[in-house]
């Protein structure tokens, strides 16, 4: 349900709402298949696009939505991709609330359908509420989604799309990432929340957190 029926549902709702809005651009809504085995759907589209990729302002991808990140009380909307497109970063920051966490894509890796577009240097944004206890499990059921939060995040994404469509100039894909100024503070705050809410962290998370803190302190551009 969270991964990824909720993302598809948000996409369909955005298509319905935006169909009546004069944006002066073309919008293409696609639910890519075969992501889990190797991003085959999005890779195929990038190789055989409906419209030239050079004409694309941006691609917006939603994946694993509607559940709190690792079931924390705190709600988090994670966004990747702003480090390669400053114009998109400005829009996201202007529309996001305190739940927004902007991360560099390198901290997550090419795990969803934005990756083939990134390889083709198409500006992208990836929105996700991220993993939870039932990720890839039988417990990922519709009754466990938080629909009010899903709706709020969907409306944020909707406004971001409208703002992108209204840009005066095409976003540029940077050759070298410029990481969000808020990234380190947002990530440290999130890790602190996890450590405070969970008295005992698994060895996997302890290693992950140590790695993230090392990356943040050792990367000159951060």
């Amino acid at each position: 349900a969270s991964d990824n029926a909720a993302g598809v549902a948000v996409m369909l709702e955005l298509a319905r709402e935006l169909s009546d809005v004069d944006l002066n651009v073309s919008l293409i809504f696609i639910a890519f298949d075969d992501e889990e085995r190797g991003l085959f759907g999005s890779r195929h589209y990038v190789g055989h696009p409906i419209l030239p990729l050079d004409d694309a302002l941006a691609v917006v991808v939603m994946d694993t939505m509607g559940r709190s990140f690792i079931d924390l009380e705190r709600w988090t909307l994670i966004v990747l991709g702003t480090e390669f497109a400053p114009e998109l970063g400005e829009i996201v920051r202007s529309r996001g609330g305190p739940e927004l966490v902007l991360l560099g894509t390198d901290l997550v890796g090419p795990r969803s359908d934005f990756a083939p577009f990134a390889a083709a240097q198409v500006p992208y944004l990836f929105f996700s509420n991220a993993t939870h206890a039932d990720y890839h499990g039988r417990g990922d059921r519709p009754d466990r989604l938080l629909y009010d939060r899903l709706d709020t995040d969907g409306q944020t994404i909707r406004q971001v799309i409208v703002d992108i469509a209204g840009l005066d100039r095409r976003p540029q894909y940077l050759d070298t990432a410029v990481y969000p100024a808020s990234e380190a503070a947002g990530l440290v705050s999130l890790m602190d929340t996890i450590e405070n809410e969970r008295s005992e962290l698994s060895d996997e998370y302890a290693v992950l957190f140590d790695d993230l803190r090392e990356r943040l302190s050792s990367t000159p551009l951060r």
Side-chain angles (χ1 to χ4, degrees), residues 13-146:
E13 181 64 12
L14 293 177
R16 184 188 67 80
E17 292 184 8
L18 293 172
S19 65
D20 294 329
V21 180
D22 183 10
L23 297 178
N24 198 36
V25 297
S26 296
L27 298 179
I28 301 174
F29 293 88
I30 308 174
F32 294 115
D33 198 6
D34 225 359
E35 179 251 24
E36 299 288 358
R37 293 197 304 163
L39 311 176
F40 289 112
S42 52
R43 286 169 58 189
H44 178 82
Y45 180 83
V46 168
H48 306 82
I50 296 172
L51 297 174
L53 292 181
D54 289 344
D55 293 339
L57 290 176
V59 60
V60 176
V61 177
M62 296 158 282
D63 195 358
T64 313
M65 304 286 293
R67 288 279 297 266
S68 174
F69 176 50
I70 64 172
D71 303 291
L72 297 172
E73 293 184 11
R74 163 182 170 171
W75 189 257
T76 302
L77 178 60
I78 292 173
V79 186
L80 310 181
T82 63
E83 73 273 23
F84 290 110
E87 297 90 345
L88 301 187
E90 292 176 8
I91 290 173
V92 171
R93 283 188 290 272
S94 71
R95 294 299 179 182
E99 73 285 351
L100 197 71
V101 176
L102 275 60
L103 298 181
T105 308
D106 62 318
L107 298 179
V108 177
R111 298 180 56 189
S112 192
D113 287 311
F114 64 84
F117 293 93
Q121 295 199 326
V122 178
Y124 67 92
L125 293 173
F126 174 70
F127 291 89
S128 180
N129 300 126
T131 189
H132 47 76
D134 299 309
Y135 181 65
H136 286 180
R138 294 179 179 273
D140 187 9
R141 303 195 307 263
D143 60 292
R144 297 188 177 181
L145 296 182
L146 300 178

Side-chain angles (χ1 to χ4, degrees), residues 52 81 123 149 206 222:
R149 294 288 194 173
R222 284 189 157 98

